[in-house]
Amino acid sequence: MACLIAVQLWATFGMSVLIFMAGLATVSCELVEVARLDGAKPGQIWWHVILPAMRPILEFVAVVTTIGVLTTMFGVIYVLTAGGPATATTLPEFLVGWSRAG
């Protein structure tokens, strides 16, 4: 099951990176500069300035990725394992899709 989740996350990785890069571009350079002038170290700038500024982007990516994983997991399971071995990778979504396909 972990391998299936990894495959799905890898499939959505590119879009997530694109959204994160766009979010980083929205972080105010003035805030980062003020933090540097106040003596903040790079880790502190990242933790206390950049991450709070990107919180809406982080939430958006988490929600969109979760929806993507939940709605497209049937295709990944069907192609990679067909629900096996035994029922190890069988999800309710897979059972609904399997009854329609079979």
Side-chain angles (χ1 to χ4, degrees):
M1 186 63 83
C3 291
L4 295 172
I5 292 170
V7 166
Q8 185 62 30
L9 289 176
W10 182 253
T12 60
F13 180 74
M15 183 58 112
S16 299
V17 169
L18 184 67
I19 295 170
F20 282 134
M21 296 301 288
L24 279 173
T26 65
V27 175
S28 174
C29 295
E30 289 84 16
L31 288 176
V32 175
E33 186 63 29
V34 167
R36 281 192 190 127
L37 291 174
D38 285 344
K41 297 176 181 162
Q44 293 171 327
I45 292 171
W46 180 257
W47 188 255
H48 296 290
V49 177
I50 296 174
L51 281 181
M54 288 189 56
R55 183 173 179 191
I57 286 102
L58 294 170
E59 291 172 353
F60 175 76
V61 168
V63 168
V64 169
T65 302
T66 302
I67 290 170
V69 166
L70 292 175
T71 59
T72 61
M73 209 55 188
F74 171 75
V76 173
I77 291 173
Y78 188 75
V79 169
L80 294 178
T81 67
T87 58
T89 58
T90 302
L91 299 173
E93 176 185 352
F94 182 76
L95 294 174
V96 169
W98 183 261
S99 66
R100 291 181 185 169

